Amino acid sequence: MNDDTRKMIYGTIVVFLLFLVFWLGFVYISACGFTLTCIQGAPLVVRTPVPTLIPVRHAQAQAQPGATAVEFNKCKVAATDLIAAWVSAGHTETEPFQFTDLTGQDCEGTFADIQPLFVENSLWFPGSLGCTSCHNADLTDRSAGLDLSSYEAISLGTRRVAEATSPGTDIFGGGEWENSLLYEVLVNQGMTTQGHSPDVPPNEAILYAGQMVSEGEVTPTPTP
């Protein structure tokens, strides 16, 4: 091998090494800049212009002095027992009535606890329609002329005709629960009267209603 060939080989190796060093330096400087910590190589944190999480101060996280937790004060009761207590107490719109829940606790309720039983869906059993889906102001034949959409309409009773203001047949049994039409439909017939589907067996609906009261807080029930 002559000197010229050796020079060409060595020159090529040197040029290759210089190119390799230059290329690695270019890559490093592009990624990390002229630093040894390579801060620019850290992942970019994308932030919104407005802080989405506001730091909570320690003082704010502590409960305020004198603050008390809200206590659950509802009573667990069967729907028919709740209606029975309301009917037996005179079935008024504004006066409270007393009942005993399933745990033996003295409780007190009002018509505001009764109305959802006639209006809300899926209350008596899963998938059931509210009573007012049939028993409303239209007073169709299927509804037996009974409107359960308001206290005034309920008080007028059943067997009424549309737009009539005169009372129909009393559904409260004169305040005697077991003599009332409500008892006949809800208990004796188990919600499977004509026009109601008997496909779903009647289940006693259990709900939370009214409020617990101590013996000294019980409101005297007015005499019907």
Side-chain angles (χ1 to χ4, degrees), residues 135-153:
H135 300 288
N136 49 53
D138 292 338
L139 296 177
T140 60
D141 292 339
R142 185 183 182 188
S143 71
L146 176 62
D147 181 4
L148 297 175
S149 61
S150 67
Y151 177 81
E152 292 77 9

Side-chain angles (χ1 to χ4, degrees), residues 88-106:
S88 300
H91 48 84
T92 68
E93 182 179 14
T94 57
E95 296 295 332
F97 62 92
Q98 285 73 52
F99 64 94
T100 302
D101 73 357
L102 296 177
T103 65
Q105 172 68 42
D106 291 332

Side-chain angles (χ1 to χ4, degrees), residues 31-46:
C32 302
F34 294 95
T35 65
L36 297 178
T37 57
C38 200
I39 297 176
Q40 294 181 2
L44 179 63
V45 178
V46 179

Side-chain angles (χ1 to χ4, degrees), residues 4-120:
D4 292 337
T5 303
R6 187 179 293 108
K7 289 179 181 179
M8 290 179 61
I9 294 174
Y10 290 159
T12 301
I13 294 174
V14 170
V15 170
F16 173 75
L17 292 175
L18 290 175
F19 174 79
L20 184 62
V21 171
F22 174 80
W23 181 77
L24 291 175
F26 175 78
V27 172
Y28 181 85
I29 293 173
S30 298
C32 302
F34 294 95
T35 65
L36 297 178
T37 57
C38 200
I39 297 176
Q40 294 181 2
L44 179 63
V45 178
V46 179
R47 294 184 175 90
T48 59
V50 179
T52 55
L53 294 177
I54 301 175
V56 178
R57 297 181 180 178
H58 180 71
Q60 295 175 339
Q62 301 298 319
Q64 297 297 326
T68 56
V70 178
E71 183 179 357
F72 184 75
N73 199 33
K74 295 290 185 180
C75 300
K76 186 178 182 180
V77 61
T80 52
D81 291 341
L82 186 66
I83 296 176
W86 175 61
V87 171
S88 300
H91 48 84
T92 68
E93 182 179 14
T94 57
E95 296 295 332
F97 62 92
Q98 285 73 52
F99 64 94
T100 302
D101 73 357
L102 296 177
T103 65
Q105 172 68 42
D106 291 332
C107 300
E108 193 171 83
T110 64
F111 176 69
D113 299 300
I114 299 296
Q115 190 171 28
L117 302 179
F118 301 137
V119 176
E120 292 186 4

Side-chain angles (χ1 to χ4, degrees), residues 186-214:
L186 299 177
V187 179
N188 288 345
Q189 299 180 14
M191 290 285 291
T192 56
T193 59
Q194 182 178 4
H196 294 73
S197 173
D199 298 335
V200 180
N203 294 319
E204 181 63 271
I206 305 298
L207 63 147
Y208 288 93
Q211 61 181 1
M212 299 180 186
V213 293
S214 61

